[in-house]
Each structure stands twice: as structure tokens, then as C-alpha cells.
Amino acid sequence: MPAPIGTLPEAVPSVLPAPVGGLNFRDSLANMPVTDALRLDNHFCAIGKVILRTGTANHITAGIGSGAVDTLAEYHDGANRKLIAGANGLIYDATSSAATGLASGFSENRWQTAQFDAKLGLVNGTDAPQQFSGTAISAMTINDAASASGLAKTNIIGIFIHESRSYLWEDGQSDFWYSALNTLGGTMTKFALSRVGDIKGNLICANTWNVAGGAATWGGGGVGVDLAVFVMSSGQAVVYEGDDPGSDWSLVGVYQIGAPVDVRGTLRIGGDLVILTKAGLVSMTAVLQQKGLIGPQGTITNKIDPKLIKEINDNIAQTGWEAMYFPEHQAGELLLINDPASATAMTQWVLNVETGAWARWKGLSARCWARFNDRLYFGTATGTIIQADTGNTDLGAAIAGDAETAYSYFGEPAKLKTGVELMPTFKSSGAIAASIVMQFDFQTVGVAPSLQTFQSAYQFWDNIDELWDESDIIWEVDTTTAVTKRVGAAGEGFAVGARLRTSMTSDFEWHATNFGLIPGMGVP
């Protein structure tokens, strides 16, 4: 029944959950799930809620100097755990709050590492391979089993362990070298990948992939059978089964997955092997299930691929590309891609492995990452090592979040809607400094933290830096319950969304947003 003349119709409450589906750069704006986000900076998609990312604290600020920290790696042998760092032509013990030098005189600080037989092997493609025993650095013994084949020790850039052997490869070469059983380095034997069928390009990265049962059940997750995967610059992934390339070794297949981005671009996650390529982050399990074709389910980054692939193409020459897995993250298993726009400006693309939802982190100038003592650390361009996923501030400063939801027609795409109010549901153990505005018809609007009312639905965001520097809205909240606040709105359109900005020094959860909308007339 229409409202009486002279009165306004009542607003219809329309509730949407927080954008727990994460970033979506794949779908059209008009056809995107309402649980997804167009922007999700410095957030993490936890189960049933979106949270502001956790904070950072100094681990080491002394002992390294001002040079970039390009390597972090954990040495772990029983109760003996050490954090190893590479910077300033040195290798450091960075376990405690002040780093100490272990060895010096190196030309390259970006080491690739693998632990085997109580030793941590380090190679960088420029300096002679090294090893760490748990107490000291020494040269790794490398002997060429066939001296005429010409292994150049200082050219070795990659290392991994497979079936109780160490595997090495040289920068700019297509072949790899393997050791004797139960040996790190030692006498190395060449395996000529370049002679295996139609293999093109140079070997960039390699790792072990664990698969189920025998060949009839491969692709269903890991149990028992380890395969060796070698990824070429041509985008070919060459897969072998066996424990001895000299005798017990068979070719499983050659799969076209996209050119790898970096030597540090592989991750073992459960029974899967994922590889960072110019086509996105590729799951080898998914590739095998799709018979070697990269499809929508072949890249874990499918929903963010349009943006990520552009970033890869723009920043491929920058140092700092790396994939990281951190299952101990406070809010869910974390997969992280470090994206270096420059030597100091880094972005992290972060996935909740449990939900498949992506977000983006900013403000962390990370040159490299490592797990150490089940905690997460990164090295910076200025000689510091930072612990991540700790507290709710960045070295004492507030963490700024920026989110933009997908749009909804609320079931009536042809009806105009007038915004009256928003009522978000948040939770925090401290005061909430936030601003939220309603958006209409895919128009990004400004968020002025000093205002509690919405701006015009079609006002674009001008002078945002000046606006954000003004005083924030402070919402005092109960420390044990979720809270809501009614915020006035203005504007109209057919599709409705919201933009939220926060600046917090305490934990923050976003659970839902209630849109107060007055339905209007439909399109004739």
C-alpha cells in the first residue's frame, strides 16, 4: 500500500555480510557476488568476518647496517633454531635482537636455501655455494663428476632436496645437477633436461610435489609419492618420478603452465605444489586434473589474476618477488605473494587458504619473508628485520584499512533506491576510528573521517589525503560484544555498495552492513 500523501515511505532494511569472499578483479561489476570486494587493503578475510590485518614489531634494528636485507631463512635441527639473514655482503645470525656476522665478502645478498643432513645450503648465482652447520658458515663442497661438463660453482642459483638428494642448477642454463644419496653437495652429476623431448628455455625454479598413490590417482592430494618438478623459462613444467636420475627415473609429463616469475616462486602446501607464473599462481594438482590446460580452476589467483598479472608484467624486473606460506597466522592459513613495485614500495597479495579469499596489504616494505619459530618475519630495504602478525599497530603506528564492497541490486535491478542510513556491525577491543559511506551505481565516492553523514552518491574522492588527515570518528565500543551505529546517508541509484575506511591501533572485525533504503519507482 503506498504511503499517504505528504509522508515519506519507510526505509527497507537490507543486510549484506562483510565481504568475506575477498577481492574480485575477474567478474563484471554488475555480476559480482555480493560477498566480494572491489578493494580490500590491509584486511584479511577470516571465516565469517573481515578483520584488519595484524601488526608488526621490530625484531632486529642493530647489527646489520643500512643495506637491504634480501634473505631470511630458518635453520632448524632439533631444538637448535636459527634465523639466517643476507645483507651488505654478509651472512648474519639474526636469531636475537642484535644480528651478528657469520661470514663476509659476498657479492650477492639474495640467497636461495635448502636444509639437508643438519646443514643449511645457500646459493645465489654469483658467489660460491655456502653451508651453515648450526654454528658456522663454510664453503659447500661441490665436485663435478664429469669435469668436462663444466659446472660453474659461482653460477649455481637454485637448490632443493628430493628423495634424499640435493639438486642444484645454474643461472641461465637448462640442465640440473644431483648429488649422491644423503649428501648436500659433494660429487654432482649432470642431468641434461635440454635433451628431453621438446624442452625450451632455461631452468628457473624447481621443487618436490607430493601426489596420492600411483599414476591412476594422481591429482587428488598428497600421500606417499614424491615427484620432481622443474619449471623452465618457456613456461614448461617437466615432471619426473623416481629417486635416482641415474637409474630409477621416468618422465611423467611436460605441462605448459606459464613462465615462472622468480627462482623463489614455488611453494609446497599440503600435497600440492604451487608456482608463481606470469599466468598467475598455478596449482600443479589442478593442472594435472585438467590434463595440462590452465583453466579457471588452474590458477589459485583466478579472482585477482587481471590485477596480479598486470603487476607481474609491470614489476617483473624488480627484486623481491616471492611466495610464502604461513599456516600459523592468527586468523587462518596464510599464503602470501610479495609484489615489489620498487626497491622500497611493496604490496602483498594475501590468501586465506581455508576460504580461498584474497586481500591486499600495503605499508609493509618487505624485501623477503621467512617463517622462524612458527612466527612470520620480513627483511626491509634499510637493514631491519620485522616480525609480522603481532599486535595491532605497525611499529606503534595505526594501521589504515580501506575497503569497497561489491554492489547489490537487492533483487530489484530496475528499481531506484534512495539511501537513508547505514548501520554497520563491527567489533573491537578498543575505540573504533572509522568512516563509511553508501555508494551507488559503481561510482567511487569520498570518505571524510571527520563527517558522520554521507557525501553525495556521485561525489568523486577529491583531496583524500587532506580529508584523511582530519580528526576521525570515534565509536566507543563494548570490549566483548559486536556493536552497530546508525550513520546517515544521502544519494540514490539502482545498485548499492559501501566504502569503509579505518585507522586502528586495536583489533577490528567487520561482520555485516545494514543498508536503509527507500525503494522508488521502476524503469517504465
Side-chain angles (χ1 to χ4, degrees):
M1 179 176 180
I5 296 175
T7 65
L8 291 173
E10 292 186 0
V12 177
S14 304
V15 181
L16 292 180
V20 293
L23 286 171
N24 188 336
F25 300 125
R26 175 195 64 198
D27 297 330
S28 69
L29 294 176
N31 195 39
M32 189 178 295
V34 295
T35 53
D36 288 357
L38 305 177
R39 184 193 316 261
L40 210 53
D41 291 343
N42 283 337
H43 291 85
F44 185 80
C45 298
I47 295 175
K49 60 191 175 185
V50 171
I51 67 171
L52 202 62
R53 71 161 168 83
T54 47
T56 59
N58 282 318
H59 173 64
I60 282 184
T61 58
I64 291 181
S66 59
V69 178
D70 281 331
T71 300
L72 287 177
E74 182 183 51
Y75 174 87
H76 186 183
D77 180 36
N80 187 14
R81 287 191 173 192
K82 300 284 186 179
L83 182 63
I84 302 303
N88 302 311
L90 283 85
I91 297 175
Y92 296 88
D93 181 345
T95 304
S96 61
S97 58
T100 57
L102 294 171
S104 62
F106 303 111
S107 301
E108 173 61 51
N109 298 311
R110 201 163 191 258
W111 298 86
Q112 282 59 252
T113 64
Q115 185 160 333
F116 187 50
D117 193 26
K119 295 184 286 290
L120 182 72
L122 303 97
V123 299
N124 66 19
T126 301
D127 299 295
Q130 303 293 305
Q131 62 185 28
F132 178 62
S133 65
T135 56
I137 294 286
S138 60
M140 185 193 302
T141 300
I142 302 287
N143 299 316
D144 183 355
S147 58
S149 56
L151 172 61
K153 298 178 185 180
T154 56
N155 203 37
I156 297 172
I157 197 169
I159 180 171
F160 81 111
I161 308 302
H162 176 72
E163 296 286 0
S164 300
R165 298 176 190 271
S166 55
Y167 287 71
L168 308 172
W169 64 96
E170 298 174 78
D171 190 17
Q173 301 296 315
S174 59
D175 306 320
F176 66 82
W177 300 76
Y178 63 96
S179 73
L181 200 62
N182 299 321
T183 305
L184 178 65
T187 298
M188 305 300 297
T189 302
K190 183 178 181 178
F191 188 95
L193 271 177
S194 56
R195 299 177 184 173
V196 180
D198 189 23
I199 304 300
K200 302 181 179 68
N202 301 320
L203 179 56
I204 302 297
C205 54
N207 214 323
T208 295
W209 172 28
N210 187 260
V211 297
T217 58
W218 286 350
V223 92
V225 179
D226 283 339
L227 306 179
V229 181
F230 304 90
V231 190
M232 314 302 289
S233 59
S234 61
Q236 294 170 301
V238 187
V239 182
Y240 277 95
E241 180 187 10
D243 57 12
D244 185 352
S247 60
D248 178 21
W249 196 248
S250 60
L251 180 65
V252 172
V254 179
Y255 305 92
Q256 190 69 43
I257 66 168
V261 172
D262 193 84
V263 65
R264 294 184 178 179
T266 66
L267 280 179
R268 297 185 65 182
I269 301 178
D272 202 358
L273 176 66
V274 298
I275 302 162
L276 183 59
T277 77
K278 291 182 180 180
L281 191 66
V282 174
S283 158
M284 284 304 299
T285 297
V287 168
L288 190 61
Q289 289 172 338
Q290 296 185 78
K291 303 185 185 305
L293 299 175
I294 295 295
Q297 304 306 315
T299 58
I300 298 169
T301 48
N302 178 252
K303 286 176 72 172
I304 64 168
D305 272 345
K307 181 75 73 173
L308 176 62
I309 291 171
K310 183 180 186 304
E311 290 286 302
I312 290 172
N313 288 331
D314 289 346
N315 304 328
I316 190 68
Q318 296 291 342
T319 298
W321 284 104
E322 186 171 356
M324 180 72 202
Y325 176 53
F326 183 59
E328 298 88 358
H329 185 262
Q330 296 179 37
E333 291 183 54
L334 172 71
L335 187 156
L336 178 150
I337 299 171
N338 203 56
D339 173 2
S342 71
T344 57
M346 308 288 180
T347 294
Q348 291 79 39
W349 302 94
V350 293
L351 173 74
N352 185 335
V353 175
E354 298 169 77
T355 68
W358 286 93
R360 176 174 57 184
W361 291 353
K362 292 186 172 182
L364 304 181
S365 297
R367 297 273 294 184
C368 59
W369 292 82
R371 289 168 63 190
F372 171 59
N373 264 337
D374 299 327
R375 296 181 177 91
L376 186 62
Y377 295 84
F378 63 87
T380 73
T382 54
T384 59
I385 298 174
I386 307 296
Q387 182 181 349
D389 193 35
T390 182
N392 299 112
T393 68
D394 279 340
L395 308 181
I399 298 173
D402 193 356
E404 189 173 0
T405 70
Y407 288 81
S408 175
Y409 291 103
F410 291 105
E412 297 181 301
K415 276 197 173 180
L416 193 68
K417 303 159 187 75
T418 300
V420 176
E421 65 180 5
L422 274 176
M423 191 166 65
T425 301
F426 300 142
K427 185 175 181 181
S428 175
S429 61
I432 296 176
S435 275
I436 189 168
V437 297
M438 200 179 294
Q439 300 189 149
F440 295 91
D441 297 340
F442 319 115
Q443 300 281 348
T444 296
V445 303
V447 182
S450 60
L451 305 177
Q452 294 192 36
T453 56
F454 286 12
Q455 300 181 27
S456 165
Y458 297 100
Q459 179 177 344
F460 287 94
W461 197 345
D462 294 323
N463 301 320
I464 186 59
D465 290 335
E466 289 79 1
L467 289 172
W468 190 237
D469 288 338
E470 295 177 13
S471 60
D472 301 333
I473 304 170
I474 303 296
W475 293 337
E476 295 295 336
V477 305
D478 186 277
T479 60
T480 58
T481 60
V483 297
T484 60
K485 181 178 179 68
R486 294 180 182 273
V487 181
E492 61 181 17
F494 295 93
V496 186
R499 186 163 190 174
L500 169 71
R501 294 199 75 188
T502 52
S503 180
M504 300 289 296
T505 57
S506 58
D507 57 284
F508 175 81
E509 300 176 3
W510 181 14
H511 290 264
T513 307
N514 191 329
F515 295 80
L517 303 170
I518 297 176
M521 298 296 293
V523 175

